[in-house]
Amino acid sequence: MYQEVILDHYKHPHGRGLRAGQAEVHHVNPTCGDEITLRVRMEGTVIGDVSYEGQGCSISQASASVLNDLLVGKDVAEASRIQETFLELMQSKGRVEPDDEMEDLLEDAVAFAGVSKYPARVKCALLSWMAWKDATAQALSTAPTEETV
Amino acid sequence: MTATSPEGRVLPGLLDTEAIRKDFPILDRTVHDGQKLVYLDNAATSQKPRQVLDTLASYYERYNANVHRGVHTLAEEATAAYEDARDKIAAFINAPSRDEVIFTKNASESLNLVANMLGWADEPYRVDRDTEIVITEMEHHSNIVPWQLLSQRTGATLKWFGLTDDFRLDLSDIEQVITEKTKIVSFVLVSNILGTVNPVEAIVRRAQEVGALVCIDASQAAPHMVMDVQALGADFVAFTGHKMLGPTGIGVLWGRQELLEDLPPFLGGGEMIETVSMHSSTYAPAPHKFEAGTPPIAQAIGLGTAVDYLTAIGMDKIAAHEHAITEYALSRLREVPDLRLIGPVTGEDRGAAISFTLGDIHPHDVGQVLDEQGIAVRVGHHCARPVCLRYGIPATTRASFYLYSSPAEVDALVEGLEQVRNFFG
Ligand SMILES: Cc1ncc(COP(=O)(O)O)c(C=O)c1O
């Protein structure tokens, strides 16, 4: 389950730290105490930035780093497609073997396929992705370019 | 017996774990393609000896029937075995009377039962807005939430003892915490996260001075040490069967007889009544007053067998064994770089659950990499989140031992942690 890619992102996280955005959310995983504070800055329909701060296990931290890599710069529709595909992979209980199309879409995030076999850890992998979804919905419902946090 | 650890240290007081382990079929299994199981999660639940498994099977195979409700042979046999289990538990905890032993489904239910008895009680036990409830910051959630609920429902003030930097109860302000207004003091005898053994006498003495009742959560004590409810001096003692070689689904509440006579029932139903009309009912005497509905029959009988098993080995010998293993584990864990013990650093007044953090490596990662080597530990806040908040840590890794734990398993843990460090280092 601990793929080299995951350990790399854990040890050298991308985009960590809180920067300006239009919405901020705080999500916790009550069973293990993993926490994340995440902000989204939209530029029109494009994800301008996803910034975050948190504490937790290697899986939850690496997953936030991968999310930052994957989603920043994408149109929100494309980003949502990636999020949904990642969610599907993580809920597959190890039964989905990522194909080429999925690999193209998810890039480093396919490394988490192995995590889906460990029910206790799926929530860790999904923490930042759920936070992102929540924050993005909030950001889209506020004034388009106003930075509120 | 005096044994030597694999690396040559002398450990007095060890049990013959090789012989004991033969009674626990599960300890022979392997995990992850052939890794030998090293089960160090005994504070969460213990494994069960063959004797207990056989008792469960023979109940269902030979005399399964409802209790207290039939004149046929099976019903009589089941009732006799169920009540016999009560006798065994009463003897195990040195209860003055068998009628003081109430079967519940677990320690959580036992503690909720006490809280609800007091919430519905008349004077002088009644908990209301002018009174106070005292707990500690070291409690399992099962001994926090029922009291929070009681305080919210009655308006009573909830107070608690804080913790010292060396992982013990801070009783320095005991006279301000336990006052004339205090109705009930409920605290854990042995902490499931820190391993700390708490000073019962000092707390009971102060509670008695002000006329408060005392409830002890003995979930991590009853499996591991000689239990004598009379010596403890409390009014209620709660524990749970599955942590002491018994099945899940069975717990115990011991309560002082006079109190059980005076206090109102909580759950209503079959078995707990004397007569019922459409307008009102009268209740059976304790313990039945507090056992509404069909009880966990097989589980109670199974717990009786578990207690037989523990008694045959001797609770004093089990305590000595665990003390030796704990001392050994503490000394070996001290050798692991970046390991910080979250709990007393010596074996004095300490149980066999050892929590720690390992540098910045998250306990989930520690637990996962240990699991890959067959080593089962618990990670997280151990249902004692206030303790984690108190010491500024998100979670811990906890290794916890029992009568079948061996020094070799301690060594496996230490080697496993070395691998964890290499992996995330
Ligand atoms: C100290 C303590 N109290 C209460 C409990 C609750 O036991 P149960 O879950 O069996 O009700 C536990 C175990 O989890 C415990 O360790």
Side-chain angles (χ1 to χ4, degrees):
Chain A
M1 124 175 204
Y2 292 111
Q3 304 275 326
E4 210 48 58
V5 188
I6 295 181
L7 288 176
D8 274 353
H9 276 278
Y10 170 56
K11 289 175 190 166
H12 311 287
H14 302 177
R16 199 180 161 91
L18 286 174
R19 296 171 294 278
Q22 291 112 353
E24 173 179 304
V25 297
H26 180 73
H27 279 211
V28 297
N29 178 352
T31 50
C32 61
D34 285 356
E35 292 187 26
I36 191 163
T37 303
L38 180 142
R39 287 181 189 169
V40 168
R41 183 168 58 79
M42 299 297 298
E43 291 166 2
T45 60
V46 172
I47 317 253
D49 192 14
V50 180
S51 61
Y52 62 95
E53 200 52 86
Q55 58 170 19
C57 65
S58 57
I59 301 298
S60 71
Q61 299 302 296
S63 163
S65 167
V66 168
L67 177 147
N68 172 282
D69 266 4
L70 268 177
L71 303 191
V72 174
K74 298 253 169 31
D75 191 83
V76 71
E78 170 74 352
S80 293
R81 201 160 75 88
I82 296 173
Q83 195 265 352
E84 278 155 27
T85 309
F86 186 66
L87 186 64
E88 184 193 315
L89 177 66
M90 293 319 297
Q91 290 173 342
S92 72
K93 304 198 167 89
R95 284 196 289 264
V96 168
E97 194 58 53
D99 55 14
D100 289 351
E101 194 192 329
M102 196 183 256
E103 280 185 22
D104 286 346
L105 192 67
L106 292 184
E107 301 178 28
D108 280 0
V110 291
F112 288 84
V115 178
S116 71
K117 280 182 251 163
Y118 298 83
R121 306 301 297 276
V122 169
K123 277 199 199 131
C124 308
L126 286 177
L127 183 67
S128 54
W129 293 77
M130 294 306 187
W132 171 79
K133 191 178 170 197
D134 187 8
T136 303
Q138 288 183 27
L140 290 172
S141 65
T142 60
T145 52
E146 196 185 321
E147 287 177 2
T148 53
V149 286
Chain B
M1 167 176 170
T2 297
T4 311
S5 77
E7 44 134 59
R9 292 185 214 177
V10 177
L11 300 175
L14 283 194
L15 291 167
D16 182 358
T17 49
E18 234 172 275
I20 291 173
R21 293 172 79 89
K22 294 206 172 78
D23 290 330
F24 291 80
I26 205 171
L27 296 178
D28 271 342
R29 76 161 275 187
T30 56
V31 290
H32 299 303
D33 304 325
Q35 299 285 343
K36 203 171 162 346
L37 173 68
V38 176
Y39 186 76
L40 301 182
D41 195 16
N42 293 286
T45 200
S46 72
Q47 298 303 344
K48 326 299 173 199
R50 193 179 293 284
Q51 289 82 341
V52 169
L53 305 179
D54 288 349
T55 296
L56 296 176
S58 94
Y59 167 75
Y60 285 118
E61 283 171 10
R62 299 190 35 81
Y63 58 102
N64 171 52
N66 212 326
V67 290
H68 303 298
R69 321 188 168 174
V71 292
H72 58 79
T73 307
L74 267 52
E76 276 170 4
E77 286 180 14
T79 304
Y82 178 72
E83 290 302 330
D84 186 44
R86 199 188 307 277
D87 288 330
K88 290 176 181 177
I89 309 297
F92 184 72
I93 61 175
N94 195 29
S97 160
R98 68 184 308 277
D99 296 335
E100 298 179 334
V101 174
I102 301 167
F103 284 127
T104 61
K105 74 168 185 286
N106 51 34
S108 303
E109 186 184 314
S110 300
L111 294 163
N112 277 276
L113 175 55
V114 178
N116 279 283
M117 285 170 174
L118 298 180
W120 298 104
D122 293 326
E123 289 301 344
Y125 309 113
R126 191 186 181 78
V127 169
D128 59 26
R129 63 175 55 258
D130 300 321
T131 62
E132 294 172 353
I133 301 164
V134 173
I135 58 172
T136 86
E137 204 175 3
M138 202 189 278
E139 300 309 314
H140 187 280
H141 296 165
S142 295
N143 200 28
I144 298 177
V145 184
W147 303 111
Q148 289 176 339
L149 290 169
L150 182 63
S151 125
Q152 283 156 14
R153 287 168 184 168
T154 59
T157 306
L158 183 64
K159 296 163 84 175
W160 56 87
F161 289 105
L163 306 181
T164 65
D165 289 341
D166 49 3
F167 308 102
R168 305 233 172 236
L169 286 183
D170 179 3
L171 298 180
S172 58
D173 53 353
I174 190 166
E175 313 220 322
Q176 286 76 54
V177 176
I178 302 178
T179 70
E180 297 290 335
K181 287 186 164 180
T182 308
K183 283 284 176 161
I184 174 86
V185 181
S186 190
F187 67 97
V188 72
L189 182 44
V190 181
S191 160
N192 66 309
I193 177 166
L194 299 172
T196 311
V197 177
N198 287 318
V200 174
E201 211 189 309
I203 300 172
V204 168
R205 199 184 318 121
R206 175 62 187 159
Q208 285 176 349
E209 248 170 48
V210 301
L213 296 175
V214 175
C215 174
I216 292 181
D217 175 1
S219 301
Q220 298 289 346
H224 304 290
M225 55 174 73
V226 177
M227 283 298 289
D228 180 340
V229 293
Q230 300 187 54
L232 286 174
D235 299 287
F236 300 101
V237 176
F239 53 97
T240 197
H242 66 92
K243 294 186 202 284
M244 50 193 290
L245 311 185
T248 54
I250 183 74
V252 173
L253 177 67
W254 171 84
R256 228 179 252 294
Q257 184 133 31
E258 320 81 86
L259 288 171
L260 297 184
E261 275 162 21
D262 286 355
L263 289 167
F266 170 44
L267 299 174
E271 214 56 64
M272 53 78 71
I273 46 83
E274 200 172 53
T275 62
V276 176
S277 75
M278 288 317 288
H279 298 289
S280 66
S281 303
T282 56
Y283 309 120
H288 304 290
K289 177 163 84 173
F290 301 103
E291 293 181 0
T294 301
I297 304 167
Q299 291 76 1
I301 299 170
L303 181 59
T305 303
V307 157
D308 284 344
Y309 187 92
L310 292 169
T311 307
I313 292 176
M315 290 310 293
D316 50 343
K317 295 211 173 70
I318 291 171
H321 172 81
E322 290 183 18
H323 187 73
I325 288 283
T326 302
E327 290 278 15
Y328 179 60
L330 288 169
S331 74
R332 294 255 20 224
L333 289 172
R334 243 175 260 131
E335 297 163 10
V336 178
D338 303 330
L339 185 142
R340 176 183 166 212
L341 286 170
I342 308 296
V345 293
T346 72
E348 198 185 332
D349 290 330
R350 183 188 216 305
I354 304 181
S355 270
F356 55 86
T357 58
L358 191 61
D360 289 336
I361 309 172
H362 193 278
H364 262 181
D365 293 319
V366 176
Q368 197 88 50
V369 175
L370 289 177
D371 178 62
E372 281 164 14
Q373 302 165 66
I375 304 167
V377 295
R378 169 101 186 253
V379 298
H381 52 47
H382 315 285
C383 298
R385 190 163 172 272
V387 171
C388 291
L389 294 176
R390 164 65 178 83
Y391 296 109
I393 44 173
T396 77
T397 303
R398 179 187 71 191
S400 53
F401 306 102
Y402 207 1
L403 74 167
Y404 40 63
S405 303
S406 69
E409 290 182 309
V410 173
D411 294 337
L413 171 68
V414 171
E415 277 157 37
L417 291 172
E418 216 33 70
Q419 296 227 27
V420 173
R421 292 186 63 248
N422 292 339
F423 198 80
F424 291 104

